[in-house]
Amino acid sequence: MIKHIVMWKIKESHEGADKSELMNRIKEELEGLKNSIPEIKTMEIGRNSNELPTSFDIALYSEFESQEDLEIYKEHPEHQKVAQFVRQVAMDAVVVDYET
C-alpha cells in the first residue's frame, strides 16, 4: 500500500475568492476525484484547525495499492485539472509518499 500525503499553505485570496473559499474549492475538487479515478483506495481532505505559524492550511491523505496506481492518479487528466488550480492558489506545499 502506498500512502500519499500533501499539505498546502494557501494564499489569502485569489481572483476575488478568499482563503476559506479557496480551501472549500480544493476540498470539493479533490473529493470529486474519487468518482473518476478508481485507483484511489482512500482519500481524506482536511482543513487545519490550529493557528501555529508553521502550520499548513489544508492536507490530503490518500492510499493506493501500488506505486503504479499512484502514478496513474498523478497523470490522470482530472487530477491534472485540480493540480493546476491548486498550484495557482498555493504558496507552499510539502509531499510525502511511503509504502506500508
Side-chain angles (χ1 to χ4, degrees):
M1 186 71 67
I2 303 294
K3 313 292 173 103
H4 174 65
I5 300 169
V6 186
M7 296 183 296
W8 299 274
K9 289 189 180 188
I10 305 300
K11 296 176 182 177
E12 290 300 319
S13 64
H14 177 76
E15 295 182 350
D18 68 20
K19 186 179 206 172
S20 182
E21 292 168 320
L22 296 171
M23 290 193 295
N24 286 341
R25 180 174 169 188
I26 291 168
K27 184 175 184 341
E28 181 180 295
E29 291 189 11
L30 285 170
E31 287 174 341
L33 295 177
K34 292 187 277 187
N35 298 322
S36 27
I37 306 175
E39 288 77 14
I40 300 169
K41 297 302 173 202
T42 299
M43 179 178 278
E44 295 177 4
I45 300 91
R47 293 174 60 148
N48 179 37
S49 62
N50 70 54
E51 299 295 326
L52 294 174
T54 56
S55 297
F56 281 72
D57 298 308
I58 192 165
L60 162 70
Y61 170 85
S62 52
E63 294 180 354
F64 300 86
E65 287 293 328
S66 65
Q67 186 64 42
E68 293 78 18
D69 284 355
L70 175 58
E71 293 305 318
I72 290 168
Y73 162 77
K74 288 179 180 179
E75 298 302 321
H76 194 283
E78 293 301 315
H79 174 261
Q80 289 296 314
K81 287 182 201 175
V82 176
Q84 181 179 12
F85 171 71
V86 173
R87 283 191 293 274
Q88 292 175 9
V89 302
M91 298 183 297
D92 197 8
V94 293
V95 179
V96 63
D97 296 330
Y98 62 93
E99 189 169 357
T100 59

